[in-house]
Amino acid sequence: MNKSAIGGMPRPDRKERDGLIRLDKLLTHFGCATRRQAIDAVRRGRVQVNGAACCDPAAKVDPERDEIRFDGVVQSYQKNRYLLMNKPRGAITAVTDRRETVLDLLPESERRGLFPVGRLDKDTEGLLILTTDGQLCHALMSPRRHVEKVYLAGVSGELAPDAAARFAGGLVLRDGTECRPATLEPAGTEDGLTVWRVALREGKYHQVKRMIAAVGGHVETLRRVAVGTLTLPEGLAPGEWRPLLPDELKRLLSHTGEE
Ligand code: URA
């Protein structure tokens, strides 16, 4: 690290700066934060350079030689990129479509090589992972890995008294499709609808809507709030996104057996 750039000491001259890069910018290159998040994280002391907290986002560091830690995790250029989005209603979960896709919600500079992990219906909102990592995508979607996906469904109509037991026992849909055991729990009310928490370990077409229909209800609103170890951050509004934090990625990869 160029120590003279840290802690308010005189700035290095042009020669010294060769090959150096601002700390906040390097964090964005690593793919672990947007520029705004990087500045905030550095100021809050969450970033260490060669073992010491560095609170100056403009500090110049050497990407080749300095060890950068974010929340204690050593950072390096990532082969893959990982974003978390709160998908808004109305966007299509696809890379290209004639209608607005989730990729269209990202600045063009971020889109290259990204694809959504799994599908959410056009009228579903909530947690969606976008990545360039095909292996992680497979691990999260493969029915054999049993990664849990959790939804909050706003439902009209009365569910059958044995609905939760039927979910737990492996519900059979109206068309005869057999579902894996799933969890159904009441989760309050919202806008006059009964909210049900549904946890699945597979991802069939319109699965939550069809399971709820099979026990007598109608899904009016649907929001995904968790995938494996990842939960939808409270402050992330529909349409907003951010890179996965190092710790979130680490836990997700180890949960899916990819690390
Ligand atoms: N189940 C559904 O019915 N729709 C979704 O978008 C996701 C799960």
Side-chain angles (χ1 to χ4, degrees):
M1 174 173 52
N2 186 332
K3 294 262 191 291
S4 63
I6 312 291
M9 301 288 283
R11 296 185 134 258
D13 65 25
R14 177 177 287 280
K15 199 162 164 214
E16 281 176 311
R17 286 209 299 269
D18 275 352
L20 303 181
I21 179 170
R22 277 178 63 117
L23 180 56
D24 54 358
K25 199 165 179 191
L26 181 61
L27 290 167
T28 68
H29 288 329
F30 286 153
C32 58
T34 62
R35 192 69 176 263
R36 208 177 49 190
Q37 289 163 349
I39 291 170
D40 183 62
V42 173
R43 289 197 177 134
R44 287 168 187 264
R46 292 168 62 191
V47 178
Q48 292 182 312
V49 181
N50 299 330
C54 173
C55 298
D56 178 5
K60 296 290 195 304
V61 290
D62 184 340
E64 303 277 318
R65 291 200 218 124
D66 291 326
E67 185 201 67
I68 315 293
R69 285 177 184 262
F70 188 152
D71 285 343
V73 181
V74 176
Q75 300 299 300
S76 55
Y77 287 105
Q78 283 178 2
K79 195 171 96 210
N80 284 304
R81 286 176 301 128
Y82 305 86
L83 305 186
L84 173 164
M85 176 182 281
N86 186 352
K87 176 197 170 298
R89 278 192 206 110
I92 305 293
T93 311
V95 174
T96 52
D97 196 277
R98 59 190 163 73
R99 297 159 295 176
E100 183 182 60
T101 72
V102 288
L103 267 289
D104 293 331
L105 300 171
L106 303 173
E108 218 155 324
S109 56
E110 288 287 340
R111 291 181 201 164
R112 191 172 39 86
L114 284 177
F115 50 84
V117 176
R119 261 185 55 87
L120 290 177
D121 296 338
K122 185 180 173 198
D123 57 358
T124 300
E125 66 177 28
L127 177 55
L128 183 69
I129 300 167
L130 295 140
T131 184
T132 54
D133 184 346
Q135 233 172 309
L136 176 71
C137 181
H138 175 74
L140 287 171
M141 300 317 297
S142 162
R144 273 183 290 131
R145 302 281 183 111
H146 301 181
V147 174
E148 189 174 75
K149 285 114 194 157
V150 182
Y151 298 85
L152 291 177
V155 174
S156 57
E158 284 277 308
L159 300 196
D162 63 348
R166 287 170 60 193
F167 269 53
L171 188 80
V172 179
L173 299 179
R174 286 174 175 164
D175 66 359
T177 304
E178 292 176 18
C179 299
R180 281 178 187 276
T183 311
L184 176 72
E185 290 166 343
T189 56
E190 198 174 87
D191 300 331
L193 299 170
T194 312
V195 180
W196 293 91
R197 182 184 179 279
V198 179
L200 307 178
R201 291 179 183 274
E202 59 185 345
K204 298 185 195 301
Y205 180 67
H206 291 338
Q207 186 163 351
V208 173
K209 292 172 185 165
R210 292 196 295 156
M211 288 178 85
I212 293 287
V215 291
H218 181 78
V219 173
E220 306 283 354
T221 63
L222 189 58
R223 180 159 86 247
R224 185 156 70 186
V225 291
V227 173
T229 55
L230 204 58
T231 53
L232 184 64
E234 278 197 5
L236 199 71
E240 290 186 343
W241 59 276
R242 64 161 170 78
L244 282 196
L245 297 174
D247 205 44
E248 289 173 333
L249 178 60
K250 205 168 162 211
R251 277 190 289 138
L252 192 64
L253 291 174
S254 79
H255 183 71
T256 55
E258 294 302 304
E259 194 183 67

